[in-house]
Amino acid sequence: MPKPNNRSLEYEKTRLSLILQKIDQALIDKQEERIRLQDEIQYIQAHFNGDNFQNDIDLSVNSALLSAAETLLAGLNVSSQKPYFARIDFKEDQGKEHEVLYIGKMNFTEKPGETPLIVDWRAPVSNLYYESRLGEAEYLCPEGTIKGDLALKRQYVIQNRILEQYHDIDLTTNDELLQNAIIANTDKRLKDIAATIQIEQNKIIRSGMWVPIIVQGAAGSGKTTVALHRMAYMIYQYAEKFDPEHFIIIGPNKFFLDYISDVLPELGVTHVTQSTYEDMAMEFIGKKLKVKNKNESLENGFGTYEQKKMIMFKASLKYRDAIKLYLDKRIQEILPKRNITLDQFTVMDYSKIRYLFHTYLNYLPPYERLPVMKDHIRKLMKDTVAKVSEMIEIQCNNTLLTLKREQANSPERQALIIQAIEQRDNTLLFMKKNNRKLVDQYFKEIKKVAAQDYYMDFLRDTVTNANGILKEIAQETLASIEKGVYELDDLAPLMYIRQYMYGTGEFKEIKHVVIDEAQDLSLFQLYALKVCTPGSSYTVLGDVCQGIYSYRGISDWSYLQEIMATDRGCKYEVLRQSYRNTVEVMTEASKVISRVKPFAPYIAKPVIRHGNPVSYKKIDQQQLCDEVSHLLDLCKKAGRKSVAIICKTLSKCKSLQKVLDKNGIEMNLITGSEKEYSGGNVLLPVYHAKGLEFETVIIPDADDETYHMDTHDAKLLYVAMTRPIHDLHLFTTGNWTGLVDP
C-alpha cells in the first residue's frame, strides 16, 4: 500500500485499485466457501441418520456458516463497485500519529485480527465523520470517550470502481456530495444515504435502541431512509444478541415496501421482515380476512358528519376500553363452575380454582393461565392420590385386623377379607387410571373462543345493551362482517382481543419495529401493535402534514408518546430539513398546507437548491394531453427516468389514462394492488404517491371541484406537490382550487 501521508489524487486512485483487488479476491474466496458449504450440506442431507446426533450438529453449523457467507458475499458485491465513500485522519490524544480510516458500507479486513482496510459506517469511530469538525474531536465507544485531533475529512465520488473526484470538507451539510446525491436520477428504488447522512439524521440513527423514538419528518426530510439506516445500525450494534429476523418494517402498502427494499441489502443487511399493517395483523390473528380497501373512503368521501364521528370513535382508545369491559366480563365465565374431585375426595374446590385463575395468575392472559393451572392441579392431584392411597391402605389394614380379631377363621371371614382387599385394589387402580383424566376433563370443558368470535359476540352484545354512537358502530360493523367483509379499523380490535385473551405467541420474539407513515394509523392501531410486540423497541415515523386519513389518523404526536413510552421514556425528534424539493417547489407546497391550518412547526425547510418556478396552466383536456406529451419529451431529452402524473383519486387516474391512451401517451397506472413498484413514468392517485419521489410531477386536476378548501384536501394536495425532485406542473380544466395561488 502507498504511504498514508500522501494526500494526492494519484495516491487515492492507487489505493482504490489495490483495495478493489483485495475485495475481488475475497469475493472469489467467499464464493468458493459458499459452494463448499452447499456441497457439505447436500451430502449431510443425503446421508442423514436421525439416530446420529452429530448429523444434527454438522447440519446446524454448516447452515449457519452458509448464511454468514451469503451475507458477507452480498456486502462484498456492493463494496466491489464502491468500497468506501469517506476518509478521516484522526490521532488520539495519546497517539503518536494520525490514523487513516476509510469509511464504507461494511467492515473489510484482509485477514482476521488485522487493522480494517475499510471501517463500517456504523462503527463508533465513524461518528467523527458525521458529527465532528476539524480540530479537537471525540467519539464514544464501549471503552469510553476517545478524544483527539481530526485532521482530515474527505468525501469520494466513486462510480463503477473509478474514483472521479474527492472533496476535503469540514461539515457534511450542504456540501457538493449531498447536492449531487439529491439530484441524482431517481427511478424505481429508494437509495441509501450512508455517504451523506446529516447531523440531525445521524443523531436519530444512532439513538439508543431501547428508548422508543417518534420522528416527525417533513416531506423530503429522508425519514424513511433514516429509519432504515437506524435499523441497519442497530443490527450492527446488537449482532451478537439479535438476528435480523427479529426486526420488522411496517409500511403503507406492498409496492412502497418494494420501493424501499434495496436500501438494507445495500447496507449489508438481509432477512429483515417487511409487512403492511394489514398483513401483520392477520398473521397475528392467525386468520386471513377479507379487508375492505382503506382508500375507498378517499375515493368516495368520508360520508356525513355522523359517519365521520363513528370513524373517529372506532379508531380511538375509547373503543378499546369498551372491548376491554366486555372481555373482562367474558373472562369471568371461562371456568366450569364446579369442584375437581377424585372419587368422593375434593382435590380443589371451585373457590380455590377461581383464586388461582383470577388472582394468582392474573399477570398472564386468560388462556395462557390454563396450562399453568393444569400443571399445578395435576401436582395437587398427584399429592391427593398419594395421601388418599395411604389412607385407603390404612383403612383396609384396619378392616383386616378387625376381621381377624373379632371373627373366627371361616369361609365367611375369608370372603370379607377378599372383599376388603378387592375394594382397596379397585379404588387404588381407579385413582391411578383416572387422576389425570379427571383434570383433563375439567380443562376440556373450557371452550376456546377465537378472536373474531369474541369480536362478533361483543358487537351483538353492544347492539343489544348499548346506546348512542357505540351501538351505531356495532350495528354497522356487524352488518359488514356478516357479509364477510372487515374494515381496516376492525383489525386493531381483533389484534387486541387476541393478545388480551391468548397472549402474543411468537411475536414476543420481535425486537425492533419500524412504523412508517404512522400518521395514517389510528391510536388504537398503534396501541394494538405495541401490546402485540411486548419485547420490542420502536422507531415511529410520520408527518402530520401528510395525514390523509385524517378522521382516524394521528394529528398530535403527544398522545402517541404516552402510548409508546416505557419506563425509559419516549424520545421525540423533528426533521424539518427537506432534501428532496427545490426552494421554489417547497415554497408553493407550504402555501397550500398553511391556508387551512397553522402547521408551521412541521412544514419543511428546503436545502438551498433552486430550480424552475412551479408551473400553473389553465387548459382544456386536449391541451392537457399536448402538455403531458411535451413534458415527457423534455424529460426524456434531459435523461430523467421518473415522471409522475398524480391525480386525487384512482377513478380520476383511470379516466385520464383512457384519454392519454387515445392520444398515444403511455403511462404505467398504479392501482395499489401491485406487489412491486415498476418505476419509470407512472400515473397514480395521491394516496399511493406517499413516500415516493419523482424527478418531475404533473398534477392535472388542481381545480376547485377536486380539491376543496379543507384540511383533508390540503394535505392531499401537499403530498402531491412535495413529490418532485426537480419540476412541478399544475393544470386545471376548470377553476383553480382555492388552495393554490397561481
Side-chain angles (χ1 to χ4, degrees), residues 355-373:
Y355 174 81
L356 185 62
F357 182 79
H358 291 289
T359 305
Y360 187 72
L361 295 174
N362 71 347
Y363 64 92
L364 293 171
Y367 288 102
E368 281 192 358
R369 301 173 202 174
L370 298 178
V372 181
M373 286 180 63

Side-chain angles (χ1 to χ4, degrees), residues 638-688:
R640 296 185 182 172
K641 298 179 180 179
S642 61
V643 178
I645 300 178
I646 303 177
C647 300
K648 182 181 178 183
T649 63
L650 180 60
S651 57
K652 279 183 171 287
C653 287
K654 290 179 177 179
S655 297
L656 180 58
Q657 188 185 40
K658 292 178 181 178
V659 176
L660 294 175
D661 285 345
K662 287 181 181 178
N663 286 269
I665 301 172
E666 293 185 9
M667 300 293 290
N668 179 29
L669 177 64
I670 293 178
T671 65
S673 61
E674 299 83 0
K675 293 183 179 179
E676 295 183 358
Y677 176 63
S678 60
N681 296 338
V682 296
L683 171 63
L684 73 170
V686 63
Y687 46 80
H688 287 327

Side-chain angles (χ1 to χ4, degrees), residues 174 179 182-183 577-588 605-614 640 695 724-728:
N174 291 334
Q179 294 287 347
I182 291 171
I183 64 175
Q577 192 76 61
S578 174
Y579 302 100
R580 178 190 299 143
N581 309 127
T582 62
V583 172
E584 289 77 10
V585 168
M586 184 50 69
T587 299
E588 294 300 301
K605 293 181 178 179
V607 295
I608 305 303
R609 182 173 66 89
H610 287 279
N612 295 322
V614 174
R640 296 185 182 172
E695 292 175 291
I725 295 172
H726 298 294
D727 296 323
L728 174 62

Side-chain angles (χ1 to χ4, degrees), residues 519-520 543-550 554 690 712 715 719:
Q519 79 282 345
D520 288 334
D543 179 12
V544 294
C545 293
Q546 300 182 66
I548 62 175
Y549 302 94
S550 54
I554 303 293
K690 285 167 59 63
H712 180 259
K715 288 180 177 181
V719 169

Side-chain angles (χ1 to χ4, degrees), residues 142 208-210 233-247 508-512 535 537 568:
M209 176 171 177
W210 295 112
Y233 172 76
M234 287 188 293
I235 289 172
Y236 173 85
Q237 291 293 321
Y238 296 95
E240 295 182 1
K241 292 185 177 180
F242 309 126
D243 293 326
E245 290 89 345
H246 294 151
F247 293 73
K508 61 175 167 285
E509 298 299 323
I510 296 173
K511 298 306 177 188
H512 190 77
S537 59
R568 300 185 186 186

Side-chain angles (χ1 to χ4, degrees), residues 501-515:
M501 301 301 289
Y502 286 92
T504 59
E506 294 181 359
F507 274 60
K508 61 175 167 285
E509 298 299 323
I510 296 173
K511 298 306 177 188
H512 190 77
V513 180
V514 168
I515 309 169

Side-chain angles (χ1 to χ4, degrees), residues 169-189:
I169 61 168
D170 188 1
L171 292 173
T172 56
T173 304
N174 291 334
D175 59 278
E176 188 173 345
L177 188 63
L178 173 61
Q179 294 287 347
N180 290 337
I182 291 171
I183 64 175
N185 285 339
T186 297
D187 189 8
K188 60 181 291 188
R189 292 289 185 275

Side-chain angles (χ1 to χ4, degrees), residues 196-219:
T196 58
I197 294 170
Q198 303 301 295
I199 291 177
E200 72 274 13
Q201 297 172 328
N202 190 56
K203 290 184 183 298
I204 294 170
I205 289 168
R206 295 175 186 260
S207 180
M209 176 171 177
W210 295 112
V211 178
I213 185 168
I214 297 172
V215 180
Q216 159 58 40

